[in-house]
Amino acid sequence: MTDIVAYGYAAVVALGGIIGFMKAGSVMSLTAGLLFGGAAAFGAMQTSKNPSNYLIILGTSLLLSCVMGYRFSNSGKFMPAGLVASLR
């Protein structure tokens, strides 16, 4: 069964990186968004094949949530860090 929620999460993360690049010209946002979005998509593929293979999507989600939660606590700005931290 396809893990639609995990694929949606991966798409939101990748799209966030693309939007960050388009709005601010941030290559780091583009790189991180595509890297984490790709890792999340790979994790979604793994959980779609076997629901017991959740470690990749879980690890990606936890790492991204910690990093973005830290950025949100430092900046106090909900977008984009607070939103991404709350997606997990």
Side-chain angles (χ1 to χ4, degrees):
M1 178 174 264
T2 303
D3 190 350
I4 296 171
V5 173
Y7 277 116
Y9 176 74
V12 166
V13 170
L15 184 62
I18 293 167
I19 291 171
F21 176 73
M22 290 172 47
K23 284 183 75 174
S26 173
V27 175
M28 183 59 90
S29 290
L30 179 64
T31 304
L34 293 179
L35 180 72
F36 279 102
F42 180 72
M45 183 181 68
Q46 294 298 310
T47 57
S48 294
K49 289 180 183 177
N50 180 1
S52 297
N53 290 340
Y54 59 85
L55 291 178
I56 293 172
I57 189 73
L58 178 64
T60 302
S61 174
L62 284 173
L63 181 61
L64 193 56
S65 291
C66 289
V67 169
M68 295 306 264
Y70 177 76
R71 289 185 62 200
F72 173 64
S73 70
N74 284 339
S75 70
K77 296 179 183 177
F78 184 71
M79 289 298 288
L83 174 66
V84 173
S86 66
L87 287 176
R88 190 186 107 210

